[in-house]
Amino acid sequence: MIHYKTKEEIALMRESALLVSRTLTEVAKVLRPGVTTLRLDSLVAEFIRDHGGVPSFLHYRGYPFNSCMSVNDVVVHGFPNEEPLREGDILTVDIGVVKNGYHGDHAYTFAIGDPGAEVRQLIRVTKESLYKGIEHAVAGARVGDIAFAIQEHTEKKYGYGVVRELVGHGLGRQLHEDPQVPNYGRRGTLQKLKEGLVLAIEPMINLGKRDIYTESDGWTVRTADHKASVHFEHDVCVQKGKADILSDYSIIEAAEAANPELFTE
Ligand code: MF3
Ligand code: CO
């Protein structure tokens, strides 16, 4: 069942989405070689709780951490651990909060030092594909239009692997609401979009083949060929004419640009 949000609910959802953006900004400030993702996970939990939210991933279907920290060939759902980050690693930080009863859920991929030209391009193109998808999150369009735009920009144009098994989703009082939002598909198909529908749009794009597998911990998803994978996610409200992006990359990007340990194009 699809839940369309009122103006009041959208204001609360923007607050939740922005709390995630601000938390990702805190992570961007301290990222450097040598830091552990477990340390970052503690920082995430503390910042969210200090700002009136609750980390929503913790205990979700038994997930044992506050955030997902996915390094290099980990696609999504990486466990924070005590392995220090190294120069040339890429790290996707995926964070969820619930505040005032509404969920925020978004993600950003960082480069710690220079991961090399191929991976830098993968990061740039995956982020671009997210915005190309968002262009279609308007009343009257369909979920398939978003999906097609993402697939065209990544798979068709660059030959990257578009993960099929994991998809974006509706967002609201629940972390995962209808509809599902795949990153591949055909124009003019799937759910018709109406004002007030909030979506988490989240391309997961592999440098190599699209195939993935889940580790024996039941969560960690890796690329089958162990090449890098990138994931960007925004929370977006469908409107007439132009989507309303509830989350905010500009503050994360400013912190990223100001951190000499992070590589930006
Ligand atoms: N962004 C992911 C999603 O939308 C985060 C879920 S991770 C979990 O599914 F730990 F909460 F499961
Ligand atoms: Co999500």
Side-chain angles (χ1 to χ4, degrees):
M1 188 187 152
I2 294 190
H3 300 278
Y4 299 94
K5 277 79 183 176
T6 63
K7 286 264 177 313
E8 292 72 23
E9 288 180 293
I10 292 161
L12 292 176
M13 292 205 65
R14 192 185 312 279
E15 237 188 86
S16 301
L18 285 178
L19 179 51
V20 176
S21 308
R22 291 165 66 204
T23 310
L24 286 167
T25 302
E26 293 305 303
V27 172
K29 287 179 190 170
V30 302
L31 263 179
R32 55 174 176 74
V35 84
T36 71
T37 49
L38 200 58
R39 172 78 199 96
L40 298 174
D41 186 70
S42 312
L43 177 154
V44 163
E46 192 178 325
F47 189 84
I48 292 170
R49 293 186 191 278
D50 282 352
H51 293 83
V54 172
S56 59
F57 293 175
L58 185 65
H59 307 317
Y60 179 83
R61 297 179 182 221
Y63 187 75
F65 294 95
N66 301 292
S67 61
C68 300
M69 297 279 174
S70 304
V71 178
N72 298 334
D73 66 335
V74 178
V75 179
V76 288
H77 304 163
F79 285 176
N81 62 31
E82 294 194 273
E83 192 70 26
L85 290 166
R86 292 181 308 187
E87 167 102 31
D89 282 344
I90 61 168
L91 169 68
T92 301
V93 182
D94 191 352
I95 295 173
V97 309
V98 60
K99 184 175 176 181
N100 301 311
Y102 290 89
H103 285 261
D105 164 30
H106 79 101
Y108 197 94
T109 299
F110 298 97
I112 295 103
D114 185 0
E118 268 194 320
V119 174
R120 283 189 337 245
Q121 178 179 273
L122 176 69
I123 293 174
R124 176 178 60 78
V125 169
T126 303
K127 195 197 270 187
E128 284 169 3
S129 79
L130 171 57
Y131 286 101
K132 292 198 180 279
I134 290 171
E135 282 175 25
H136 298 273
V138 293
R142 286 181 182 271
V143 168
D145 300 332
I146 300 172
F148 177 83
I150 293 170
Q151 186 180 16
E152 278 288 297
H153 192 62
T154 53
E155 196 172 272
K156 193 112 183 266
K157 192 154 171 212
Y158 290 90
Y160 294 148
V162 175
V163 173
R164 302 297 202 266
E165 295 87 339
L166 299 150
V167 297
H169 50 94
L171 186 73
R173 288 196 165 275
Q174 304 296 326
L175 174 58
H176 294 131
E177 298 187 356
D178 288 336
Q180 294 198 341
V181 184
N183 298 304
Y184 62 94
R186 288 167 44 217
R187 277 185 285 204
T189 65
L190 305 178
Q191 180 66 42
K192 192 158 181 180
L193 302 174
K194 286 204 307 190
E195 266 183 290
L197 176 60
V198 178
L199 299 173
I201 303 177
E202 47 180 320
M204 288 153 269
I205 309 296
N206 299 345
L207 182 62
K209 293 196 171 16
R210 71 187 196 211
D211 308 75
I212 56 168
Y213 70 98
T214 304
E215 283 189 2
S216 55
D217 62 17
W219 283 99
T220 310
V221 176
R222 279 187 201 270
T223 58
D225 61 12
H226 295 293
K227 291 187 180 176
S229 186
V230 168
H231 175 209
F232 283 96
E233 179 177 19
H234 257 316
D235 300 339
V236 169
C237 184
V238 173
Q239 292 188 137
K240 286 187 187 133
K242 193 175 193 293
D244 181 7
I245 307 178
L246 305 178
S247 37
D248 182 5
Y249 276 178
S250 72
I251 53 176
I252 304 167
E253 284 164 348
E256 190 183 32
N259 183 340
E261 309 282 359
L262 297 181
F263 202 98
T264 49
E265 300 270 335

